[in-house]
Amino acid sequence: MAEDVEIIKKFIDADMHVTPGALNSLRETGDLRSAAEMVLERFRSMPEKPVIVTEELVRRILRGGSKTSVEAEPPVFSQAETHPEKIKTKIACGKFEPPAADIEPEVEVLIDVTGHSNSQGRIEDFIRLFNDRYERLSRILKERLDMRGAIPIGSVREYEGQTVRIIGMVMDKRETRKRDLIIELEDPTGNAVVFVHKNRNELMRKASEVVTDEVIGVEARVGSDSRWSRLLFVNDIVWPDIPVPRQRRDEGTAEEGSEPIYAALISDLHVGSEMFLEDAFARFLKWLRGESGNPNQRQVAGRVKYLVIAGDLVDGVGIYPNQEEELVIHDINKQYDAVVEYLSQVPEHVKIIVSPGNHDAVRPLEPQPALPKDIASDFESFEPVLVGNPAHLLLHGTRFLIYHGRGFDDLISADSSLDRKNSVNPMIKSLKKRHLAPIYGEPMGGRAPIAPEGRDYLVIEEVPDVFHTGHLHVYGCGKYRGVLLVNSATFQERTSYMKRRGVRPTPGIVPLVDLRTRKVRAIRFA
Ligand code: FE
Ligand code: ZN
């Protein structure tokens, strides 16, 4: 067992998670240690390595599979983009003529609850919300080859002894006394109890990722014994997931030879908190104005056309117990006045897009509508594009999904393969589940409380090109099936809350996305 822990740690040190199934196949070689070393060595030599090392992946490497097939295995984490460069703070000389000033902004909001909220919080509204979620996600699942011919749960009884496919919302998941797993599924026609045997390692690993209130597909044999006629024995579990791109979209859509246009992604400023890193943020603004950085960094600054803020502009008031003690600005409106003061230093040609987070002054229930225009006097002076959380929008033809990330709290506590340090992994999970905050929890009591709108805005129906989140305060960048994933970290120092959880934030890092190539360059200002 000690050996297992040692191997698992080795993978974690290399930024990878090894599944129990993968560990088993390593052990089956008879020499766990050297098999693990061999596999690790293989990954180290690859430009992109997987976040999760699965049984299949290990088997393939042990079999001596071709290098390309391993690289194509999703999820793929791009290592090249994870090391931010430092800002050179020497006074920049020479005229600053930003090419971005000659480009018209192109912003189109595609999906956003703002102005469409119709939730009254009645029981019927919740039923409506969950029906809508089921509708949208089961539609995606039905398009999968491995879910073809899925039957309504209500008709399962007619298939005794046969293998069926069903699509249902997870009502409950629990362990039996013998440590097998029971998952309860529901669709509009009925309920089913599906059973996962504890000895089926790969299946148990999949089942460990199943969370309540999400919609999954299951292939199972219907128990033939009349006593078990309602029990289904699981063969496979599938998630809606996003399709593997036919061609990698790394290249973006722009024509050959066009000039780069950058979007600077930030989040979690927490203005008003005594931990807000004023100096680092001032350094960022200075660079954006072309007043600092080496020639190359200055050139990038001149090409920034968009500044996207994914929530938590301010620290807010009364968000957590004893927050007053950690505030330097105690009035919420004054906090936003301070934000306006900073943002007014952003060059005029940079279009600012603002989406709220759980510390902002809008309802905490998700989806959150946009911040009101009059949240601060002069907020409108720089004409920001105010969108909700989440929001789907087009920036110069690139499809962005902006989501603050509160739903990740629940996902991380429900799935042991996730933690608060690797901020890209929950993003991959939510793309797989095609939902930003699947776990609903206790009505009104969950960590990510959901407003019962008639439409589930948290379903990821359209696949974005760029998925931008914050909330975890840890910079992360990666790629999953062609989607660029960026967690833009924070401008707030480590809080007492993070200390208690043993998490180190990575403040002051600003990822810059080249909308033409969809490559990321990150600059560190702290
Ligand atoms: Fe935050
Ligand atoms: Zn947050």
Side-chain angles (χ1 to χ4, degrees), residues 268 270 312 357-359 404 471 473:
D268 300 271
H270 291 266
D312 286 0
N358 56 309
H359 283 251
H404 179 62
H471 190 60
H473 294 207

Side-chain angles (χ1 to χ4, degrees), residues 32-45:
L32 176 58
R33 219 174 284 232
S34 34
E37 234 2 279
M38 194 270 245
V39 168
L40 272 166
E41 207 39 61
R42 257 317 271 289
F43 286 137
R44 283 196 195 104
S45 67

Side-chain angles (χ1 to χ4, degrees), residues 247-474:
Q247 61 187 67
R248 290 186 71 89
R249 285 185 291 178
D250 292 8
E251 303 310 316
T253 49
E255 320 94 66
E256 193 81 29
S258 60
E259 300 290 344
I261 301 172
Y262 286 98
L265 312 187
I266 61 171
S267 62
D268 300 271
L269 275 55
H270 291 266
V271 171
S273 156
E274 60 181 16
M275 267 90 71
F276 167 55
L277 291 168
E278 215 179 326
D279 294 348
F281 199 61
R283 236 170 272 141
F284 163 61
L285 294 169
K286 210 173 158 201
W287 166 76
L288 210 48
R289 291 194 305 268
E291 293 164 18
S292 68
N294 62 26
N296 192 280
Q297 290 170 334
R298 261 184 108 210
Q299 205 173 20
V300 175
R303 298 195 178 279
V304 173
K305 187 68 204 169
Y306 304 98
L307 173 60
V308 186
I309 312 178
D312 286 0
L313 281 77
V314 299
D315 205 48
V317 174
I319 306 285
Y320 59 91
N322 303 323
Q323 188 186 10
E324 320 79 75
E325 293 161 23
E326 298 182 335
L327 289 178
V328 283
I329 307 173
H330 293 262
D331 178 314
I332 182 99
N333 293 101
K334 295 214 169 94
Q335 291 181 358
Y336 281 102
D337 285 339
V339 169
V340 167
E341 218 160 285
Y342 288 112
L343 294 187
S344 61
Q345 296 168 47
V346 172
E348 227 173 283
H349 66 264
V350 176
K351 197 74 191 154
I352 303 175
I353 291 114
V354 177
S355 172
N358 56 309
H359 283 251
D360 283 299
V362 285
R363 75 166 182 205
L365 301 183
E366 292 181 358
Q368 295 179 290
L371 279 162
K373 285 181 190 140
D374 57 1
I375 193 76
S377 41
D378 296 335
F379 198 33
E380 269 199 285
S381 60
F382 47 82
E383 294 171 16
V385 180
L386 302 172
V387 296
N389 168 43
H392 292 252
L393 53 150
L394 281 177
L395 293 186
H396 247 91
T398 298
R399 195 179 174 112
F400 271 73
L401 168 55
I402 306 171
Y403 177 57
H404 179 62
R406 201 182 188 190
F408 297 161
D409 291 342
D410 295 314
L411 217 48
I412 289 168
S413 44
D415 184 337
S416 60
S417 72
L418 300 175
D419 57 52
R420 301 187 78 87
K421 290 172 200 151
N422 298 294
S423 53
V424 157
N425 295 3
M427 298 173 82
I428 294 174
K429 282 288 161 80
S430 57
L431 285 174
K432 238 179 118 168
K433 297 176 190 296
R434 298 289 287 261
H435 202 283
L436 293 164
I439 304 166
Y440 185 71
E442 289 299 307
M444 317 308 279
R447 290 185 60 98
I450 295 170
E453 299 289 347
R455 163 178 187 168
D456 190 345
Y457 286 89
L458 298 153
V459 171
I460 307 172
E461 231 172 345
E462 301 290 332
V463 181
D465 300 312
V466 182
F467 183 14
H468 173 201
T469 61
H471 190 60
L472 296 175
H473 294 207
V474 174

